Amino acid sequence: MSEDVSFLPLALTMGDPAGCGPAITAEAWRQLRTDPSLAFYAISAPALYPSDLPVREIASPEEAAAVFPDALPVLALNDVPDIQPGKPNAEAAPAIIRSIALATSHALDGAAAGLVTNPINKALLYGAGFAYPGHTEYVAHLCADPNSPPPKPVMMLVGGGLRVALATIHIPLMTVGYALTVPGLVQIGQIVAASLRRDFGVAAPRIAFTGLNPHAGEDGTIGKEEISVINPAAHALRLSGVDMSDARPGDTVFAEALSGAYDAVIAMTHDQGLIPVKTLDMWGGVNVTLGLPVVRTSPDHGTAYDAAAAGTTRPDSLIAAIRLAAAMAKTRANAS
């Protein structure tokens, strides 16, 4: 096997087989099959894909690149129940979890350039013993050294010309101010800066914090979090060599980033960060997990059960996730 990660295939997880995963994977293969630099294989059940799609079972990732131009390579999971699009089946949960574990293992072992995860329904998995808030935390757990805590994963959305990382994700808005800490923001800033260099090839990253409050607190008159937490974290990051702004007003910082002032923005809340990305690129945004020893991207949407049932799924975000994962893997390989 080549030691150049950029020439290895990507591992695509099955996702929820009743959701959009099978259909968008099939369409992604149709659109990308002529580009060997974007070769991938699915860890899935061959029967999930359209009958008119050429599918070939493979025994190992090493076979994927040769198969890819002519057929969708599938590393078969043999315990996926009969599935009807749009109707989730809890019996599929063990196979969904195993697909994620295998893809992560292949990336860690150097058999895959990285992993691209199709959407899952976390609630469906809990009955099978899935004990993690989501994909990201599970992949981070799988990447942990046995004698160390899991790596700190950071969620970044890429799309519409923006790179936006999140300081907080799925927590109530009223608790965000309590969740923000100086050490936590410093850690996130360091992870984002390191990833911009390693994964995106930005030699000297320029990063902005958003403020939490309107007008970034307006010198403490509309809130104190900027003065007490965000700006001290920015100061500590600058002392460590990271080009980090103090808190910038959330209503202007994304325009500043689009103009070239910043290479990435770290938003304080989930919606604050996702609204600009999804407004600029509703269908083509990509969810990237920073801070892991492997490349991991994902479409920026859910299982889309209704679209799967109606046959109206769109592959744009998965295709963008595949392209970005391949580019990140190549950048990592060139840097090493």
Side-chain angles (χ1 to χ4, degrees):
M1 183 190 303
S2 169
E3 295 183 357
D4 188 342
V5 176
S6 65
F7 290 100
L8 295 173
L10 294 165
L12 264 64
T13 66
M14 177 174 65
D16 190 319
C20 60
I24 61 177
T25 297
E27 186 58 29
W29 176 80
R30 288 190 176 104
Q31 294 192 31
L32 302 179
R33 57 186 290 264
T34 59
D35 188 342
S37 70
L38 301 176
F40 63 83
Y41 61 98
I43 304 176
S44 184
L48 292 173
Y49 301 101
S51 59
D52 63 344
L53 187 82
V55 173
R56 190 174 306 166
E57 289 191 35
I58 59 174
S60 67
E62 288 86 349
E63 302 173 29
V67 170
F68 188 72
D70 302 311
L72 172 65
V74 176
L75 193 68
L77 299 174
N78 297 318
D79 60 345
V80 180
D82 290 338
I83 294 293
Q84 183 174 344
K87 294 189 176 181
N89 186 339
E91 293 181 6
I96 296 170
I97 296 169
R98 191 163 64 260
S99 178
I100 302 167
L102 283 171
T104 306
S105 175
H106 292 172
L108 286 170
D109 293 344
L115 64 151
V116 181
T117 55
N118 268 304
I120 61 172
N121 175 356
K122 297 182 287 292
L124 187 81
L125 306 184
Y126 294 147
F130 190 74
Y132 304 89
H135 254 141
T136 299
E137 294 82 2
Y138 182 48
V139 173
H141 164 76
L142 294 170
C143 289
D145 183 282
N147 300 314
S148 303
K152 164 70 174 176
V154 173
M155 179 178 174
M156 174 182 277
L157 280 298
V158 178
L162 293 173
R163 302 184 187 103
V164 183
L166 302 181
T168 65
I169 306 178
H170 300 132
I171 63 173
L173 190 58
M174 66 182 297
T175 67
V176 170
Y178 302 103
L180 298 175
T181 67
V182 172
L185 288 179
V186 169
Q187 183 183 28
I188 291 169
Q190 290 171 336
I191 290 170
V192 171
S195 180
L196 288 170
R197 290 189 293 267
R198 179 177 63 169
D199 297 325
F200 295 90
V202 181
R206 299 159 301 158
I207 308 170
F209 276 138
T210 68
L212 175 63
N213 299 295
H215 301 203
E218 211 164 80
D219 296 325
T221 61
I222 314 178
K224 305 294 185 183
E225 287 84 0
E226 288 78 12
I227 292 174
S228 63
V229 180
I230 301 172
N231 292 346
H235 178 69
L237 284 162
R238 289 192 292 270
L239 290 178
S240 72
V242 176
D243 187 349
M244 173 65 69
S245 80
D246 280 346
R248 302 291 301 155
D251 59 353
T252 58
V253 67
F254 299 104
E256 293 171 341
L258 282 172
S259 74
Y262 303 108
D263 300 296
V265 176
I266 300 175
M268 296 299 113
T269 74
H270 178 278
D271 286 8
Q272 185 186 54
L274 268 63
I275 287 170
V277 173
K278 292 195 173 186
T279 300
L280 291 167
D281 194 358
M282 179 62 187
W283 296 106
V286 179
N287 182 344
V288 184
T289 304
L290 312 182
L292 300 178
V294 298
V295 170
R296 183 263 174 145
T297 66
S298 182
D300 183 25
H301 57 69
T303 52
Y305 289 130
D306 290 346
T312 58
T313 57
R314 292 184 55 154
D316 312 48
S317 188
L318 177 62
I319 290 172
I322 291 167
R323 292 186 182 279
L324 182 57
M328 291 171 64
K330 184 176 181 180
T331 301
R332 283 195 184 192
N334 290 339
S336 64

